Each structure stands twice: as structure tokens, then as C-alpha cells.
Amino acid sequence: MPAQRIYLDHAATTPLRPEAKAAMDEGFAMWANPSSPHAEGRKAKAALEDARTRCKAALGWDGELIFTSGASEAAALAYEQVQAIHTAISAIEHDALHRYVGEGEAKIPLGEDGEVDLSLVARACEPSAKLETGGENRTLVAVQHVNSETGTIQDIAKVAQAVHGADGLLLVDCAQSAGKYPIPDGADMAIVAAHKFGGPIGIGALLVRDYAMLKPTGGHERGYRRGTENLPAIMGMVAALECGGIESWATTVEQQFDFKNALYAGGEVLMPGLQASHIYSVAHPRLSAQALLIRLDAMGFAVSAGSACSSGTLKKSRVLDAFGVPDDVASRTIRVSLGWNTTAEELDAFAAAWKSLT
């Protein structure tokens, strides 16, 4: 057992970067409401807009940015305010997005290569007949950039081509990729969560190519979100982004993939499609996921059985099912996810512990 516990559940949430904490302390000193007209409010407003500009620059986004309380609110804002009538969603999206897709709406399956079926993407958002009001019946399609359970990367450029070719709008869930990889080209809207890359919990953003894609509701954030902006958290989020992407982590991408290969000594790494280097689904040859979590926790390792919202259930993962993972294998699968402060020594310790499990 390691002298200290080793945390490998960064896809659920990752520790706050020191730079983010320092920026939050600075933000707490500016306690005024950014919408207030007095000098204190104007100072807070200036800091807010500076953070917005820096956040877009760090993400490489040249559209608009609406700060939210996290990924779930960003998803809600996108679905509830989008200028579209129908929705379509890939079968492997996070539960926070699936809740907005109604009965009869398109759920796009995957091909054998782990990628969303592009022919079905186009079919799901083909332009429908004009509405009685004269407007077009557009479809909002949601596809995750990096899957939160398997680390599978979707080719968003290809998806965008299919969506835009049928006059649809593309919402990309970048909760597991933002702050690590660039926001993919082709996204009309993108979801960002700060606590996945070293920013504070309770802050995120919806990136929007053009405000015209959304219906304004009044309030703050240019009239697209109600509620006073959380300036300290916003400043912490920006500081975390400015630390750099996955190339700034304590381990290199090569070391991360070496770790993946080492896991084969005690089981199988499930790799449906193109694989990111920081999230792995790993199946043990004999032990159940629940037994693995108990054993590993006792050995000093924090991992999970999937997304935090569903890992406490005994049901088979909807995501693994969509990827075609057999029930027996899925029942023996855990998720191991790395973060900005994961060290090579920690990876070696986990690989040894994993190999020792019988």
C-alpha cells in the first residue's frame, strides 16, 4: 500500500491548481456585483470582461462565451434556449444531455470503429418542411468530444460536416477535453467545465458561435443567463486554463500511454475507437467492478466504475453498452483517469497494484 493515497478519478473532478486558488483569492477581494453602476461594481465588471477575453484566448475560441455554474447548466442553457426545434444525440453522451432529448427524438448509434454513424447523423438532422411560422425546422445535434468513461475521441470535424450539410447545429460536450485539447473545429456550441482541468467546482461556460443561435432570457451574461456572475470562480477558471493543456502535466503523453500498456498485465484496456491518453476503461479478467473498487480503495487508490453521476448504481453502463461491450466484461470494468498533477511514480504504483489483484 502506498504511503499516501493516489487519486486516479480526475474525470470526475481534478484538484484545484495553485494558480487558480491564487486568482480566486484576488477575485474574493473584488466583492462587488459586476452589474452594479458604482466604482466597485465597474472594477468587478472590468475584471469579468478581462477574464472572458482571456478565457476565449486560452480556449482558442473566437465566438461568444457565456459563463455558467458548470457543464450541466451549460447543457440546459443550450437546449432550452437554442433556436432549433428538434434534437439528436449520440448514444454515448453524458446523462446531463440525455435528459433533454425527448421520446421520438434521434439517438445516434456508433459504428464498429467507435465513431458516431455519420450517415445517421445526417439523416437525423435533414431539413424538414417549413414550419407554419415560416421558420426552418432545424435540429440540434449533441456529440461528446472525449467520452467520459472510455476516453474515446470523436472526429468532430467530420461530424460537423454532416450536421452542417443538413443545416443542423452542433453542440459539442468538451467537459473532458477543454483545458487539455483545443476546442474542435466545427462546433457551433461547446460545453466547458472548470473542475475537469484544475479550476474550481461550480463554474463553466457555454461557448456559442453566434448569439443568434440562442433566445435571450434577460438577466446577466449579455441577457442569456440569470444570476450574478461568480467572479472569483471565473478568475480561477481562467488561471487554470492559462497553465496550459495536457502538455503541461506532470506526466507526458508518452508516459500516459506507457501506463495504458502496463495495465494489460492485469487485465484488458477497452479501446473503442481513437483513444485519449488520460481516461481508460479497464476490465479485470475475474473480479467485479464493485470488488475492484473496494480492493483498490483499501490499497490506497481512488478510481471509479464510470461517470460520477452513475457509478454508484448496479446497472450496466449505458455508454459501455453503446460501445458494444459485452455484459460480462462491462461488469468487470473500472475507469482510471489521470490529471494535471498525476506523477509517473503514481502510475507505476497503480500498475503494480492492478497486476497484483487476483
Side-chain angles (χ1 to χ4, degrees):
M1 181 173 177
Q4 294 183 332
R5 289 187 59 82
I6 292 176
Y7 183 81
L8 292 172
D9 194 21
H10 293 266
T13 198
T14 199
L16 188 69
R17 282 182 176 267
E19 297 87 348
K21 184 180 184 301
M24 291 178 72
D25 289 341
E26 181 183 350
F28 282 123
M30 288 183 277
W31 43 264
N33 190 320
S35 295
S36 297
H38 44 62
E40 291 82 358
R42 295 196 302 273
K43 180 180 179 181
K45 181 70 169 181
L48 173 67
E49 295 309 320
D50 174 67
R52 193 188 313 276
T53 299
R54 290 164 53 203
C55 189
K56 291 198 295 183
L59 290 168
W61 182 255
D62 60 2
E64 308 295 346
L65 185 151
I66 301 169
F67 287 114
T68 67
S69 61
S72 293
E73 189 197 356
L77 193 156
Y79 275 100
E80 294 171 0
Q81 296 174 220
V82 67
Q83 300 277 17
I85 304 300
H86 297 295
T87 57
I89 191 167
S90 87
I92 56 172
E93 298 307 300
H94 193 280
D95 286 347
L97 278 74
H98 267 278
R99 64 178 296 187
Y100 295 105
V101 181
E103 291 296 327
E105 299 283 49
K107 294 181 175 64
I108 305 165
L110 306 177
E112 293 183 358
D113 56 1
E115 295 187 358
V116 293
D117 191 315
L118 296 179
S119 65
L120 295 181
V121 168
R123 190 181 307 170
C125 58
E126 286 175 353
S128 303
K130 297 286 184 178
L131 298 175
E132 292 181 4
T133 57
E136 282 198 55
N137 200 348
R138 304 185 80 183
T139 298
L140 176 67
V141 180
V143 176
Q144 199 172 50
H145 187 199
V146 173
N147 186 262
S148 58
E149 291 190 36
T150 66
T152 301
I153 302 173
Q154 294 296 324
D155 189 335
I156 297 301
K158 287 183 180 179
V159 176
Q161 186 175 15
V163 171
H164 296 154
D167 197 34
L169 296 175
L170 178 58
L171 170 65
V172 182
D173 180 1
C174 294
Q176 296 294 346
S177 62
K180 305 174 183 75
Y181 309 113
I183 301 296
D185 292 337
D188 295 305
M189 292 186 279
I191 293 170
V192 176
H195 72 108
K196 306 292 189 182
F197 52 75
I201 294 172
I203 192 67
L206 178 67
L207 310 182
V208 185
R209 185 63 60 193
D210 190 325
Y211 280 135
M213 295 176 179
L214 301 176
K215 305 167 189 174
T217 60
H220 301 281
E221 290 300 282
R222 309 293 202 274
Y224 290 90
R225 178 187 183 263
R226 297 186 180 278
T228 302
E229 294 93 347
N230 185 348
L231 181 59
I234 288 170
M235 293 175 67
M237 172 179 171
V238 174
L241 281 172
E242 290 178 337
C243 290
I246 200 166
E247 72 283 351
S248 70
W249 287 13
T251 53
T252 66
V253 171
E254 289 75 17
Q255 288 173 318
Q256 293 156 24
F257 278 122
D258 286 344
F259 169 66
K260 177 208 72 174
N261 292 330
L263 295 179
Y264 278 104
E268 177 187 0
V269 181
L270 308 182
M271 294 191 297
L274 182 64
Q275 181 76 44
S277 63
H278 65 291
I279 300 175
Y280 300 110
S281 282
V282 191
H284 192 273
R286 187 181 63 83
L287 296 174
S288 70
Q290 277 66 37
L292 289 166
L293 295 183
I294 293 170
R295 293 273 296 272
L296 288 166
D297 190 46
M299 295 169 73
F301 298 96
V303 294
S304 72
S307 294
C309 63
S310 59
S311 60
T313 72
L314 296 177
K315 295 180 181 179
K316 179 183 178 183
S317 162
R318 173 178 50 76
V319 169
L320 294 183
D321 192 45
F323 276 118
V325 177
D327 292 358
D328 177 59
V329 177
S331 70
R332 295 181 277 106
T333 298
I334 62 170
R335 181 184 68 182
V336 181
S337 50
L338 287 52
W340 63 271
N341 62 341
T342 303
T343 66
E345 292 75 19
E346 289 175 331
L347 297 183
D348 290 342
F350 182 85
W354 174 253
K355 185 179 179 179
S356 73
L357 292 173
T358 57

